[in-house]
Amino acid sequence: ISSCASGRITRMLMSDIGGTENLFADVAERMRDLMKRNINRIAQTSAVRQMSASLGTASDQGGFASTLLCTYFAPLRSFTICNAGHPPPLLYRSTTDQWHILKSRTQGKQNRDECPSGNVMPHEYQSLKLTLELGDMVLGYSNTLTECCLNNGQTLGVEGLKELARRLNQSSNSETALEELVSLIRSEHQDNLRGEDTTV
């Protein structure tokens, strides 16, 4: 997560990178540089093009990377998402006390420069923009969460994660919600969140 000096623009980048240790380090470094170069830009177009190149490089070297890029522009409360093969974020709307899965329609007709390459297919690329209100929350996470199990052994998946998020106490806020959600997931099955790194 990076913010520009004025605090008007905040950008979050999440990636799941699979491959050799050297490939992981290389892609992670490219992504950090991408954030630094684009932190003062509201539009994500340039960042998405650079992200596409990094995904393509990872694929060419036999690896895999899924990426979620989000930009929040505080003066307009606008939140923009570019999702390249990553699990979709969840959105909590405080006015309705409801959780939603943030997915757009397939971006099949977009400019080729804006569609990440590599092993992310066009139907795995999502782009959307929304306005956040006071009290809203956006939950980004690695696929370790969706691969967790319910108490009956069934894989959680995105829908299951949304259902667990709905169980959160109504008094939850951005400071307590993540801890409560992780505790709920751990309590569902003894193996949940034990063996892999998790980003939430």
Side-chain angles (χ1 to χ4, degrees):
I1 298 177
S2 299
S3 294
C4 67
S6 68
R8 291 158 45 105
I9 304 169
T10 301
R11 187 158 280 150
M12 178 185 79
L13 177 65
M14 293 181 71
S15 285
D16 273 340
I17 304 167
T20 64
E21 187 175 336
N22 288 341
L23 176 62
F24 176 88
D26 181 54
V27 174
E29 185 175 342
R30 287 172 191 238
M31 294 297 184
R32 274 194 297 273
D33 289 344
L34 183 156
M35 291 281 277
K36 290 176 186 175
R37 284 196 303 269
N38 292 280
I39 191 56
N40 289 312
R41 298 178 181 173
I42 300 168
Q44 292 191 153
T45 307
S46 175
V48 168
R49 285 191 184 123
Q50 293 168 55
M51 184 174 71
S52 174
S54 291
L55 289 174
T57 299
S59 179
D60 292 344
Q61 294 175 4
F64 171 82
S66 66
T67 308
L68 177 69
L69 178 65
C70 303
T71 301
Y72 179 65
F73 182 53
L76 298 178
R77 296 195 308 270
S78 69
F79 191 78
T80 308
I81 297 169
C82 171
N83 187 345
H86 207 77
L90 298 182
L91 168 68
Y92 172 77
R93 288 291 194 188
S94 59
T95 54
T96 60
D97 191 30
Q98 296 289 318
W99 285 90
H100 306 274
I101 298 171
L102 286 178
K103 288 179 81 173
S104 67
R105 287 188 233 163
T106 301
Q107 302 295 307
K109 295 182 179 178
Q110 71 209 63
N111 186 320
R112 289 182 64 180
D113 289 338
E114 295 179 0
C115 184
S117 59
N119 41 18
V120 175
M121 302 302 289
H123 70 274
E124 294 179 284
Y125 173 75
Q126 302 270 314
S127 179
L128 65 148
K129 186 175 182 178
L130 56 139
T131 301
L132 297 180
E133 303 297 340
L134 189 63
D136 288 354
M137 291 187 280
V138 177
L139 173 69
Y141 52 92
S142 57
N143 62 4
T144 310
L145 258 62
T146 55
E147 292 169 358
C148 287
C149 294
L150 296 166
N151 54 21
N152 62 5
Q154 194 173 20
T155 303
L156 192 62
V158 179
E159 286 289 345
L161 182 61
K162 185 179 89 167
E163 289 306 307
L164 285 184
R166 288 178 60 193
R167 288 194 215 166
L168 294 176
N169 193 319
Q170 286 190 345
S171 63
S172 297
N173 56 46
S174 58
E175 295 176 9
T176 63
L178 290 182
E179 188 175 331
E180 288 180 31
L181 181 61
V182 169
S183 294
L184 272 175
I185 293 170
R186 283 198 172 118
S187 68
E188 277 292 313
H189 195 279
Q190 62 182 3
D191 295 332
N192 284 351
L193 306 181
R194 300 269 188 257
E196 292 187 55
D197 291 336
T198 306
T199 302
V200 184

